[in-house]
Amino acid sequence: MNFELTEEQKEIRRAVREFAEKEFKPEIAREYDQKEEFPWEIYKKCAKLGFIGCSFEEEYGGQGLGFLETVIICEELCRVDSTLGTAMLTGPFGSDLIHMFGTEEQKKKYLPPITKGEWVSSAAFTEPEHGSDLTMLDTTAKPEGDYYVINGTKTLITNAPIANYTVVLCQVKPEAGIRGQSLFIVEKGVEGFDATKIEHKMGIRASPLGEYSFNNVKVSKSALVGVENMGFYHSMEFFDVTRIGVAAQALGMAQGAYEKALKYAKERTQFGKRISDFQVIQHKLVDMATMIEASRLLVYKAAWYIDKGRIIPELSCMAKNLATETAVKVIHDALQIFGGYGYIAEYDLERYYRDVRITEIYEGTTEIQKNIAARFLLGK
């Protein structure tokens, strides 16, 4: 087994780190956090360097990189800043569904504007009454001639207020349950399709959140993504991959917080000596570094398997759970090392603390991840 990154992967890491350290200034991140606005200009710069949709093939504007490279990019962006890094990662959310299951025509139309940084996308699964339970959907798509007519509501949707299109999971055949669900592309501006912004989130406030309403929205049959009535299964495969991206996001946040705490501990003096000389601080730092390294190994392993053509759901669930729990614990301890200063916006740990909490919730809560992993481990 070779645990060393290739020279190309190391160069990607260096390039992403250089970009993020140049563009993700703390004062800029705090401003976007306070305004709850998407950082369009930075996003376009990120896309220009090939970091958005990097796994898409070159004919769609991507770099044709593997998933491990994608994970490295996610990690580095969030290492430098949790708020702006997350905004870069969530900008193209949903477009992977088209990349994975879409037709050639759909890929040519919807992917290049993403990789150019001109558009952002979204994916709409969550509903007000059902949350994480995708086996139950109130949003329906009824076939009518050459169209489907969509009605319903989706909530807590990343990018909903600004997305140029969404991929929405609908119930087409109610009597068939999960075997009667399909995915559809709905473009911004279509009659009956409205988005409402949800404000005052706890964290990742540069990534807009919103709610969609569908009132007799007509989409052509060419808007169907993947195989008809396979939408639930397509969505599960999508999440088996993308939750590793969330794990990488959390991993980056943890690494960034650890580095801040390590630097601060070497500089801060109390009782006549640096606080890094106190054993209790040393133990915290060692525990933080150990948890991060263990998480990185599991996240990279899950990504490596995807590049080998093997999607292992229980492994991606375990990677997400370990990385997100690690990040929450590491950032908690980093803030503790900063003491009272960690509670102040100027030192950014309080923002990391707010930003990281969502990683244990979206794309499947920690509890849901454990349920999925348990089913595979128990052969169910």
Side-chain angles (χ1 to χ4, degrees), residues 202-246:
M202 176 180 177
I204 61 166
R205 290 155 63 102
S207 300
L209 190 70
E211 183 169 285
Y212 284 137
S213 64
F214 303 87
N215 184 15
N216 293 322
V217 175
K218 292 179 68 175
V219 296
S220 68
K221 290 194 172 180
S222 64
L224 174 70
V225 177
V227 179
E228 189 174 29
N229 299 319
M230 286 290 290
F232 175 83
Y233 300 100
H234 291 334
S235 300
M236 292 301 100
E237 185 173 339
F238 167 75
F239 283 125
D240 285 339
V241 174
T242 60
R243 69 169 58 99
I244 302 173
V246 177

mmCIF file of all heavy atoms in Angstrom, residues 202-246:
data_model
loop_
_atom_site.group_PDB
_atom_site.id
_atom_site.type_symbol
_atom_site.label_atom_id
_atom_site.label_comp_id
_atom_site.label_asym_id
_atom_site.label_seq_id
_atom_site.Cartn_x
_atom_site.Cartn_y
_atom_site.Cartn_z
ATOM 1 N N MET A 202 -27.331 29.412 11.426
ATOM 2 C CA MET A 202 -26.282 29.387 12.437
ATOM 3 C C MET A 202 -24.904 29.542 11.796
ATOM 4 O O MET A 202 -24.051 30.304 12.288
ATOM 5 C CB MET A 202 -26.350 28.060 13.208
ATOM 6 C CG MET A 202 -25.244 27.878 14.241
ATOM 7 S SD MET A 202 -25.437 26.280 15.066
ATOM 8 C CE MET A 202 -23.986 26.281 16.128
ATOM 9 N N GLY A 203 -24.657 28.827 10.715
ATOM 10 C CA GLY A 203 -23.341 28.853 10.087
ATOM 11 C C GLY A 203 -23.415 28.715 8.579
ATOM 12 O O GLY A 203 -24.484 28.810 7.986
ATOM 13 N N ILE A 204 -22.256 28.509 7.951
ATOM 14 C CA ILE A 204 -22.059 28.491 6.486
ATOM 15 C C ILE A 204 -22.987 29.494 5.802
ATOM 16 O O ILE A 204 -23.680 29.187 4.847
ATOM 17 C CB ILE A 204 -22.185 27.068 5.880
ATOM 18 C CG1 ILE A 204 -23.561 26.446 6.098
ATOM 19 C CG2 ILE A 204 -21.104 26.162 6.397
ATOM 20 C CD1 ILE A 204 -23.801 25.209 5.229
ATOM 21 N N ARG A 205 -22.927 30.723 6.291
ATOM 22 C CA ARG A 205 -23.891 31.740 5.877
ATOM 23 C C ARG A 205 -23.596 32.353 4.513
ATOM 24 O O ARG A 205 -24.413 33.093 3.976
ATOM 25 C CB ARG A 205 -23.956 32.828 6.954
ATOM 26 C CG ARG A 205 -24.625 32.337 8.230
ATOM 27 C CD ARG A 205 -24.175 33.126 9.457
ATOM 28 N NE ARG A 205 -24.546 34.513 9.389
ATOM 29 C CZ ARG A 205 -25.578 35.074 10.033
ATOM 30 N NH1 ARG A 205 -26.356 34.321 10.792
ATOM 31 N NH2 ARG A 205 -25.824 36.354 9.937
ATOM 32 N N ALA A 206 -22.446 32.028 3.916
ATOM 33 C CA ALA A 206 -22.165 32.469 2.551
ATOM 34 C C ALA A 206 -22.716 31.482 1.525
ATOM 35 O O ALA A 206 -22.595 31.695 0.327
ATOM 36 C CB ALA A 206 -20.671 32.649 2.342
ATOM 37 N N SER A 207 -23.312 30.397 2.005
ATOM 38 C CA SER A 207 -23.980 29.414 1.150
ATOM 39 C C SER A 207 -25.480 29.578 1.355
ATOM 40 O O SER A 207 -26.016 29.119 2.370
ATOM 41 C CB SER A 207 -23.555 27.985 1.516
ATOM 42 O OG SER A 207 -22.166 27.827 1.372
ATOM 43 N N PRO A 208 -26.168 30.244 0.430
ATOM 44 C CA PRO A 208 -27.584 30.565 0.630
ATOM 45 C C PRO A 208 -28.445 29.310 0.781
ATOM 46 O O PRO A 208 -28.214 28.285 0.138
ATOM 47 C CB PRO A 208 -27.959 31.336 -0.637
ATOM 48 C CG PRO A 208 -26.666 31.832 -1.183
ATOM 49 C CD PRO A 208 -25.655 30.793 -0.832
ATOM 50 N N LEU A 209 -29.453 29.433 1.620
ATOM 51 C CA LEU A 209 -30.399 28.348 1.880
ATOM 52 C C LEU A 209 -31.798 28.838 1.538
ATOM 53 O O LEU A 209 -32.105 30.020 1.703
ATOM 54 C CB LEU A 209 -30.331 27.944 3.354
ATOM 55 C CG LEU A 209 -31.063 26.668 3.776
ATOM 56 C CD1 LEU A 209 -30.359 25.443 3.213
ATOM 57 C CD2 LEU A 209 -31.130 26.585 5.304
ATOM 58 N N GLY A 210 -32.646 27.938 1.059
ATOM 59 C CA GLY A 210 -33.989 28.386 0.713
ATOM 60 C C GLY A 210 -34.995 27.265 0.591
ATOM 61 O O GLY A 210 -34.696 26.095 0.843
ATOM 62 N N GLU A 211 -36.170 27.662 0.182
ATOM 63 C CA GLU A 211 -37.285 26.735 -0.002
ATOM 64 C C GLU A 211 -37.821 26.875 -1.420
ATOM 65 O O GLU A 211 -37.898 27.980 -1.958
ATOM 66 C CB GLU A 211 -38.392 27.035 1.010
ATOM 67 C CG GLU A 211 -39.569 26.085 0.959
ATOM 68 C CD GLU A 211 -40.497 26.261 2.150
ATOM 69 O OE1 GLU A 211 -40.135 25.822 3.261
ATOM 70 O OE2 GLU A 211 -41.579 26.857 1.966
ATOM 71 N N TYR A 212 -38.183 25.751 -2.028
ATOM 72 C CA TYR A 212 -38.781 25.752 -3.356
ATOM 73 C C TYR A 212 -40.263 25.409 -3.263
ATOM 74 O O TYR A 212 -40.650 24.530 -2.481
ATOM 75 C CB TYR A 212 -38.124 24.697 -4.251
ATOM 76 C CG TYR A 212 -36.768 25.033 -4.795
ATOM 77 C CD1 TYR A 212 -35.751 24.077 -4.804
ATOM 78 C CD2 TYR A 212 -36.487 26.283 -5.340
ATOM 79 C CE1 TYR A 212 -34.501 24.356 -5.336
ATOM 80 C CE2 TYR A 212 -35.232 26.572 -5.864
ATOM 81 C CZ TYR A 212 -34.246 25.602 -5.857
ATOM 82 O OH TYR A 212 -33.015 25.897 -6.385
ATOM 83 N N SER A 213 -41.048 26.090 -4.075
ATOM 84 C CA SER A 213 -42.450 25.707 -4.232
ATOM 85 C C SER A 213 -42.709 25.429 -5.709
ATOM 86 O O SER A 213 -42.258 26.179 -6.585
ATOM 87 C CB SER A 213 -43.388 26.800 -3.719
ATOM 88 O OG SER A 213 -43.262 27.978 -4.486
ATOM 89 N N PHE A 214 -43.423 24.357 -5.971
ATOM 90 C CA PHE A 214 -43.765 23.951 -7.328
ATOM 91 C C PHE A 214 -45.284 23.957 -7.457
ATOM 92 O O PHE A 214 -45.969 23.176 -6.789
ATOM 93 C CB PHE A 214 -43.222 22.547 -7.618
ATOM 94 C CG PHE A 214 -41.737 22.404 -7.443
ATOM 95 C CD1 PHE A 214 -41.189 22.103 -6.200
ATOM 96 C CD2 PHE A 214 -40.881 22.558 -8.522
ATOM 97 C CE1 PHE A 214 -39.824 21.950 -6.035
ATOM 98 C CE2 PHE A 214 -39.502 22.420 -8.368
ATOM 99 C CZ PHE A 214 -38.979 22.124 -7.116
ATOM 100 N N ASN A 215 -45.781 24.851 -8.292
ATOM 101 C CA ASN A 215 -47.225 24.985 -8.477
ATOM 102 C C ASN A 215 -47.562 24.744 -9.947
ATOM 103 O O ASN A 215 -47.480 25.635 -10.772
ATOM 104 C CB ASN A 215 -47.696 26.375 -8.042
ATOM 105 C CG ASN A 215 -49.201 26.542 -8.121
ATOM 106 O OD1 ASN A 215 -49.937 25.568 -8.242
ATOM 107 N ND2 ASN A 215 -49.656 27.788 -8.065
ATOM 108 N N ASN A 216 -47.908 23.495 -10.269
ATOM 109 C CA ASN A 216 -48.195 23.092 -11.646
ATOM 110 C C ASN A 216 -47.050 23.465 -12.597
ATOM 111 O O ASN A 216 -47.273 24.038 -13.663
ATOM 112 C CB ASN A 216 -49.503 23.725 -12.142
ATOM 113 C CG ASN A 216 -50.715 23.182 -11.401
ATOM 114 O OD1 ASN A 216 -50.782 21.996 -11.077
ATOM 115 N ND2 ASN A 216 -51.685 24.055 -11.129
ATOM 116 N N VAL A 217 -45.835 23.133 -12.187
ATOM 117 C CA VAL A 217 -44.649 23.413 -12.991
ATOM 118 C C VAL A 217 -44.537 22.361 -14.095
ATOM 119 O O VAL A 217 -44.449 21.160 -13.816
ATOM 120 C CB VAL A 217 -43.376 23.410 -12.120
ATOM 121 C CG1 VAL A 217 -42.139 23.582 -12.991
ATOM 122 C CG2 VAL A 217 -43.458 24.506 -11.072
ATOM 123 N N LYS A 218 -44.526 22.797 -15.329
ATOM 124 C CA LYS A 218 -44.438 21.890 -16.461
ATOM 125 C C LYS A 218 -42.990 21.760 -16.929
ATOM 126 O O LYS A 218 -42.325 22.766 -17.199
ATOM 127 C CB LYS A 218 -45.304 22.391 -17.621
ATOM 128 C CG LYS A 218 -46.805 22.328 -17.349
ATOM 129 C CD LYS A 218 -47.604 22.873 -18.534
ATOM 130 C CE LYS A 218 -47.483 21.972 -19.746
ATOM 131 N NZ LYS A 218 -48.349 22.434 -20.864
ATOM 132 N N VAL A 219 -42.506 20.527 -16.988
ATOM 133 C CA VAL A 219 -41.184 20.252 -17.548
ATOM 134 C C VAL A 219 -41.333 19.179 -18.614
ATOM 135 O O VAL A 219 -42.169 18.277 -18.491
ATOM 136 C CB VAL A 219 -40.171 19.792 -16.470
ATOM 137 C CG1 VAL A 219 -39.931 20.895 -15.455
ATOM 138 C CG2 VAL A 219 -40.634 18.523 -15.784
ATOM 139 N N SER A 220 -40.550 19.289 -19.671
ATOM 140 C CA SER A 220 -40.634 18.307 -20.742
ATOM 141 C C SER A 220 -40.036 16.980 -20.298
ATOM 142 O O SER A 220 -39.285 16.914 -19.310
ATOM 143 C CB SER A 220 -39.903 18.815 -21.984
ATOM 144 O OG SER A 220 -38.516 18.864 -21.735
ATOM 145 N N LYS A 221 -40.360 15.940 -21.035
ATOM 146 C CA LYS A 221 -39.827 14.620 -20.689
ATOM 147 C C LYS A 221 -38.310 14.576 -20.837
ATOM 148 O O LYS A 221 -37.645 13.715 -20.231
ATOM 149 C CB LYS A 221 -40.496 13.544 -21.538
ATOM 150 C CG LYS A 221 -41.969 13.336 -21.160
ATOM 151 C CD LYS A 221 -42.542 12.070 -21.744
ATOM 152 C CE LYS A 221 -43.940 11.826 -21.181
ATOM 153 N NZ LYS A 221 -44.555 10.590 -21.718
ATOM 154 N N SER A 222 -37.760 15.510 -21.593
ATOM 155 C CA SER A 222 -36.300 15.573 -21.735
ATOM 156 C C SER A 222 -35.629 16.068 -20.461
ATOM 157 O O SER A 222 -34.401 16.007 -20.338
ATOM 158 C CB SER A 222 -35.928 16.486 -22.902
ATOM 159 O OG SER A 222 -36.335 17.828 -22.647
ATOM 160 N N ALA A 223 -36.428 16.547 -19.492
ATOM 161 C CA ALA A 223 -35.884 17.006 -18.214
ATOM 162 C C ALA A 223 -35.650 15.864 -17.242
ATOM 163 O O ALA A 223 -35.057 16.061 -16.172
ATOM 164 C CB ALA A 223 -36.820 18.030 -17.575
ATOM 165 N N LEU A 224 -36.096 14.660 -17.596
ATOM 166 C CA LEU A 224 -35.884 13.489 -16.745
ATOM 167 C C LEU A 224 -34.392 13.173 -16.656
ATOM 168 O O LEU A 224 -33.705 13.085 -17.670
ATOM 169 C CB LEU A 224 -36.633 12.286 -17.318
ATOM 170 C CG LEU A 224 -36.415 10.939 -16.621
ATOM 171 C CD1 LEU A 224 -37.065 10.934 -15.244
ATOM 172 C CD2 LEU A 224 -36.955 9.793 -17.485
ATOM 173 N N VAL A 225 -33.890 13.014 -15.436
ATOM 174 C CA VAL A 225 -32.483 12.669 -15.219
ATOM 175 C C VAL A 225 -32.396 11.188 -14.875
ATOM 176 O O VAL A 225 -33.001 10.722 -13.905
ATOM 177 C CB VAL A 225 -31.866 13.513 -14.086
ATOM 178 C CG1 VAL A 225 -30.418 13.088 -13.834
ATOM 179 C CG2 VAL A 225 -31.935 14.993 -14.427
ATOM 180 N N GLY A 226 -31.627 10.455 -15.661
ATOM 181 C CA GLY A 226 -31.474 9.028 -15.410
ATOM 182 C C GLY A 226 -32.657 8.224 -15.894
ATOM 183 O O GLY A 226 -33.422 8.649 -16.759
ATOM 184 N N VAL A 227 -32.842 7.074 -15.278
ATOM 185 C CA VAL A 227 -33.896 6.143 -15.672
ATOM 186 C C VAL A 227 -35.179 6.482 -14.931
ATOM 187 O O VAL A 227 -35.164 6.754 -13.727
ATOM 188 C CB VAL A 227 -33.474 4.694 -15.374
ATOM 189 C CG1 VAL A 227 -34.577 3.715 -15.760
ATOM 190 C CG2 VAL A 227 -32.173 4.364 -16.091
ATOM 191 N N GLU A 228 -36.281 6.472 -15.644
ATOM 192 C CA GLU A 228 -37.574 6.754 -15.024
ATOM 193 C C GLU A 228 -37.845 5.748 -13.905
ATOM 194 O O GLU A 228 -37.561 4.552 -14.031
ATOM 195 C CB GLU A 228 -38.686 6.678 -16.071
ATOM 196 C CG GLU A 228 -40.035 7.165 -15.556
ATOM 197 C CD GLU A 228 -41.080 7.212 -16.655
ATOM 198 O OE1 GLU A 228 -40.968 6.409 -17.605
ATOM 199 O OE2 GLU A 228 -41.999 8.042 -16.572
ATOM 200 N N ASN A 229 -38.354 6.258 -12.791
ATOM 201 C CA ASN A 229 -38.694 5.474 -11.602
ATOM 202 C C ASN A 229 -37.470 4.931 -10.858
ATOM 203 O O ASN A 229 -37.618 4.126 -9.943
ATOM 204 C CB ASN A 229 -39.651 4.318 -11.950
ATOM 205 C CG ASN A 229 -40.952 4.817 -12.531
ATOM 206 O OD1 ASN A 229 -41.516 5.809 -12.072
ATOM 207 N ND2 ASN A 229 -41.436 4.138 -13.574
ATOM 208 N N MET A 230 -36.284 5.397 -11.248
ATOM 209 C CA MET A 230 -35.061 5.012 -10.539
ATOM 210 C C MET A 230 -34.481 6.181 -9.753
ATOM 211 O O MET A 230 -33.344 6.120 -9.290
ATOM 212 C CB MET A 230 -34.029 4.494 -11.538
ATOM 213 C CG MET A 230 -34.328 3.113 -12.088
ATOM 214 S SD MET A 230 -34.129 1.807 -10.842
ATOM 215 C CE MET A 230 -32.349 1.806 -10.647
ATOM 216 N N GLY A 231 -35.251 7.233 -9.576
ATOM 217 C CA GLY A 231 -34.759 8.439 -8.927
ATOM 218 C C GLY A 231 -34.253 8.220 -7.517
ATOM 219 O O GLY A 231 -33.233 8.788 -7.111
ATOM 220 N N PHE A 232 -34.954 7.398 -6.752
ATOM 221 C CA PHE A 232 -34.526 7.127 -5.375
ATOM 222 C C PHE A 232 -33.154 6.462 -5.368
ATOM 223 O O PHE A 232 -32.262 6.850 -4.600
ATOM 224 C CB PHE A 232 -35.547 6.229 -4.671
ATOM 225 C CG PHE A 232 -35.130 5.799 -3.293
ATOM 226 C CD1 PHE A 232 -35.342 6.627 -2.204
ATOM 227 C CD2 PHE A 232 -34.505 4.573 -3.080
ATOM 228 C CE1 PHE A 232 -34.943 6.239 -0.916
ATOM 229 C CE2 PHE A 232 -34.108 4.176 -1.813
ATOM 230 C CZ PHE A 232 -34.328 5.009 -0.732
ATOM 231 N N TYR A 233 -32.967 5.474 -6.226
ATOM 232 C CA TYR A 233 -31.713 4.727 -6.261
ATOM 233 C C TYR A 233 -30.577 5.594 -6.809
ATOM 234 O O TYR A 233 -29.443 5.504 -6.335
ATOM 235 C CB TYR A 233 -31.888 3.464 -7.097
ATOM 236 C CG TYR A 233 -32.958 2.559 -6.522
ATOM 237 C CD1 TYR A 233 -34.247 2.546 -7.051
ATOM 238 C CD2 TYR A 233 -32.685 1.748 -5.420
ATOM 239 C CE1 TYR A 233 -35.227 1.738 -6.508
ATOM 240 C CE2 TYR A 233 -33.657 0.938 -4.868
ATOM 241 C CZ TYR A 233 -34.940 0.938 -5.413
ATOM 242 O OH TYR A 233 -35.913 0.145 -4.860
ATOM 243 N N HIS A 234 -30.888 6.432 -7.799
ATOM 244 C CA HIS A 234 -29.881 7.381 -8.284
ATOM 245 C C HIS A 234 -29.453 8.321 -7.151
ATOM 246 O O HIS A 234 -28.269 8.630 -6.998
ATOM 247 C CB HIS A 234 -30.443 8.211 -9.440
ATOM 248 C CG HIS A 234 -30.668 7.447 -10.708
ATOM 249 N ND1 HIS A 234 -29.956 6.315 -11.029
ATOM 250 C CD2 HIS A 234 -31.517 7.671 -11.754
ATOM 251 C CE1 HIS A 234 -30.355 5.864 -12.207
ATOM 252 N NE2 HIS A 234 -31.296 6.665 -12.667
ATOM 253 N N SER A 235 -30.424 8.778 -6.378
ATOM 254 C CA SER A 235 -30.137 9.709 -5.280
ATOM 255 C C SER A 235 -29.263 9.061 -4.218
ATOM 256 O O SER A 235 -28.334 9.687 -3.685
ATOM 257 C CB SER A 235 -31.443 10.210 -4.645
ATOM 258 O OG SER A 235 -32.246 10.878 -5.596
ATOM 259 N N MET A 236 -29.550 7.801 -3.901
ATOM 260 C CA MET A 236 -28.749 7.101 -2.892
ATOM 261 C C MET A 236 -27.303 6.937 -3.360
ATOM 262 O O MET A 236 -26.365 7.110 -2.582
ATOM 263 C CB MET A 236 -29.360 5.730 -2.588
ATOM 264 C CG MET A 236 -30.706 5.776 -1.875
ATOM 265 S SD MET A 236 -30.645 6.639 -0.275
ATOM 266 C CE MET A 236 -31.320 8.248 -0.748
ATOM 267 N N GLU A 237 -27.118 6.615 -4.639
ATOM 268 C CA GLU A 237 -25.758 6.486 -5.160
ATOM 269 C C GLU A 237 -25.043 7.837 -5.155
ATOM 270 O O GLU A 237 -23.852 7.926 -4.842
ATOM 271 C CB GLU A 237 -25.795 5.917 -6.583
ATOM 272 C CG GLU A 237 -24.416 5.639 -7.152
ATOM 273 C CD GLU A 237 -24.446 4.921 -8.486
ATOM 274 O OE1 GLU A 237 -25.475 4.280 -8.793
ATOM 275 O OE2 GLU A 237 -23.443 5.002 -9.233
ATOM 276 N N PHE A 238 -25.789 8.883 -5.490
ATOM 277 C CA PHE A 238 -25.261 10.250 -5.455
ATOM 278 C C PHE A 238 -24.761 10.597 -4.050
ATOM 279 O O PHE A 238 -23.637 11.084 -3.875
ATOM 280 C CB PHE A 238 -26.367 11.210 -5.903
ATOM 281 C CG PHE A 238 -26.125 12.661 -5.644
ATOM 282 C CD1 PHE A 238 -25.237 13.388 -6.416
ATOM 283 C CD2 PHE A 238 -26.820 13.329 -4.645
ATOM 284 C CE1 PHE A 238 -25.028 14.746 -6.194
ATOM 285 C CE2 PHE A 238 -26.628 14.683 -4.411
ATOM 286 C CZ PHE A 238 -25.734 15.392 -5.187
ATOM 287 N N PHE A 239 -25.565 10.305 -3.041
ATOM 288 C CA PHE A 239 -25.177 10.611 -1.670
ATOM 289 C C PHE A 239 -24.016 9.737 -1.190
ATOM 290 O O PHE A 239 -23.197 10.185 -0.380
ATOM 291 C CB PHE A 239 -26.366 10.456 -0.722
ATOM 292 C CG PHE A 239 -27.341 11.586 -0.771
ATOM 293 C CD1 PHE A 239 -28.690 11.365 -1.010
ATOM 294 C CD2 PHE A 239 -26.916 12.892 -0.593
ATOM 295 C CE1 PHE A 239 -29.589 12.412 -1.073
ATOM 296 C CE2 PHE A 239 -27.812 13.957 -0.643
ATOM 297 C CZ PHE A 239 -29.157 13.707 -0.890
ATOM 298 N N ASP A 240 -23.947 8.509 -1.675
ATOM 299 C CA ASP A 240 -22.824 7.646 -1.300
ATOM 300 C C ASP A 240 -21.499 8.271 -1.708
ATOM 301 O O ASP A 240 -20.466 8.018 -1.082
ATOM 302 C CB ASP A 240 -22.968 6.266 -1.968
ATOM 303 C CG ASP A 240 -24.040 5.412 -1.313
ATOM 304 O OD1 ASP A 240 -24.391 5.686 -0.155
ATOM 305 O OD2 ASP A 240 -24.539 4.476 -1.978
ATOM 306 N N VAL A 241 -21.535 9.066 -2.770
ATOM 307 C CA VAL A 241 -20.330 9.746 -3.246
ATOM 308 C C VAL A 241 -20.166 11.105 -2.571
ATOM 309 O O VAL A 241 -19.107 11.413 -1.999
ATOM 310 C CB VAL A 241 -20.365 9.919 -4.780
ATOM 311 C CG1 VAL A 241 -19.168 10.751 -5.249
ATOM 312 C CG2 VAL A 241 -20.378 8.560 -5.466
ATOM 313 N N THR A 242 -21.211 11.923 -2.610
ATOM 314 C CA THR A 242 -21.069 13.311 -2.158
ATOM 315 C C THR A 242 -20.867 13.444 -0.651
ATOM 316 O O THR A 242 -20.307 14.434 -0.200
ATOM 317 C CB THR A 242 -22.280 14.152 -2.583
ATOM 318 O OG1 THR A 242 -23.487 13.611 -2.018
ATOM 319 C CG2 THR A 242 -22.414 14.181 -4.106
ATOM 320 N N ARG A 243 -21.333 12.472 0.120
ATOM 321 C CA ARG A 243 -21.111 12.600 1.569
ATOM 322 C C ARG A 243 -19.622 12.520 1.899
ATOM 323 O O ARG A 243 -19.200 13.012 2.949
ATOM 324 C CB ARG A 243 -21.909 11.543 2.342
ATOM 325 C CG ARG A 243 -21.474 10.123 2.194
ATOM 326 C CD ARG A 243 -22.172 9.234 3.220
ATOM 327 N NE ARG A 243 -23.610 9.305 3.094
ATOM 328 C CZ ARG A 243 -24.369 8.385 2.453
ATOM 329 N NH1 ARG A 243 -23.787 7.333 1.905
ATOM 330 N NH2 ARG A 243 -25.668 8.509 2.398
ATOM 331 N N ILE A 244 -18.827 11.923 1.014
ATOM 332 C CA ILE A 244 -17.385 11.926 1.228
ATOM 333 C C ILE A 244 -16.849 13.345 1.027
ATOM 334 O O ILE A 244 -15.867 13.745 1.665
ATOM 335 C CB ILE A 244 -16.691 10.935 0.276
ATOM 336 C CG1 ILE A 244 -17.247 9.528 0.498
ATOM 337 C CG2 ILE A 244 -15.180 10.929 0.510
ATOM 338 C CD1 ILE A 244 -16.752 8.509 -0.508
ATOM 339 N N GLY A 245 -17.494 14.121 0.154
ATOM 340 C CA GLY A 245 -17.136 15.524 0.001
ATOM 341 C C GLY A 245 -17.402 16.308 1.273
ATOM 342 O O GLY A 245 -16.623 17.200 1.652
ATOM 343 N N VAL A 246 -18.511 15.992 1.960
ATOM 344 C CA VAL A 246 -18.802 16.631 3.247
ATOM 345 C C VAL A 246 -17.742 16.234 4.273
ATOM 346 O O VAL A 246 -17.305 17.054 5.082
ATOM 347 C CB VAL A 246 -20.209 16.249 3.749
ATOM 348 C CG1 VAL A 246 -20.474 16.852 5.130
ATOM 349 C CG2 VAL A 246 -21.276 16.711 2.767
#
